[in-house]
Amino acid sequence: MTAPQRRAHIAGRVQHLESWAFTAGGEIADIKAAIDQLPTVIRQEILEYTEPVFGEIMAGRATLATRQDLEALERRLTGRVDGLAGRVDGLTGRVDGLTDRVDGLAGRVDGLTDRLVGLTDRLGALEGTVERRLSGVESRLDRVLAALAKPES
């Protein structure tokens, strides 16, 4: 790279870095402003949520939950959680059963694999025997053909 090209390359990189720093500086300023506004935003959200509820209570159209209401809710939720726990336990048992069946199938597949390896070995030995016998038959045929090809004397 020649000196003017290098300078242009460096100038482009510096310009890119400056534009990034300007963008990042703006984003940091936005973040700081958002942090400064956070307490006000939280206060506003709380008021927007609670004002209608308190308005209904003050107008007599709604009441706060009593201890009995909360205890009844707790009992209902506890019953549902217990029911769900029982169903999960049942599902766990079924999954365990499936796991056992899969393990049994894996054992059977391993047994079949061993049998196939044994058959492959036997076929390999049989192939060697057949090749030797064919070789013997070919040599005998060669002798017979040689004897037939000799002129009778």
Side-chain angles (χ1 to χ4, degrees):
M1 200 179 277
T2 63
Q5 288 175 334
R6 180 172 288 153
R7 273 188 246 133
H9 178 68
I10 291 173
R13 291 177 67 187
V14 168
Q15 186 179 18
H16 176 69
L17 184 60
E18 287 173 342
S19 68
W20 177 85
F22 179 75
T23 303
E27 290 173 357
I28 290 172
D30 291 342
I31 291 170
K32 285 181 180 178
I35 289 172
D36 291 340
Q37 294 174 359
L38 191 57
T40 306
V41 171
I42 291 172
R43 189 177 310 113
Q44 185 64 33
E45 287 290 324
I46 290 171
L47 288 174
E48 286 178 9
Y49 176 75
T50 57
E51 186 178 16
V53 173
F54 285 128
E56 291 292 313
I57 291 170
M58 297 304 284
R61 292 187 292 264
T63 59
L64 293 174
T66 64
R67 180 182 302 257
Q68 292 81 12
D69 294 335
L70 295 175
E71 288 172 352
L73 177 63
E74 181 182 13
R75 282 192 301 275
R76 284 198 317 264
L77 291 177
T78 302
R80 286 185 181 177
V81 168
D82 291 343
L84 287 175
R87 289 175 68 186
V88 167
D89 290 343
L91 289 174
T92 301
R94 289 175 64 188
V95 167
D96 290 342
L98 288 174
T99 302
D100 293 342
R101 287 178 63 187
V102 167
D103 290 343
L105 288 174
R108 290 176 63 188
V109 167
D110 289 343
L112 288 174
T113 302
D114 292 342
R115 289 177 65 188
L116 286 174
V117 167
L119 285 173
T120 303
D121 293 343
R122 287 176 62 189
L123 286 174
L126 183 62
E127 182 181 18
T129 303
V130 168
E131 286 180 12
R132 284 192 304 275
R133 288 190 178 173
L134 283 176
S135 176
V137 170
E138 286 177 352
S139 65
R140 287 181 192 155
L141 284 175
D142 289 343
R143 281 187 277 168
V144 168
L145 288 174
L148 289 174
K150 284 186 186 178
E152 289 185 23
S153 26

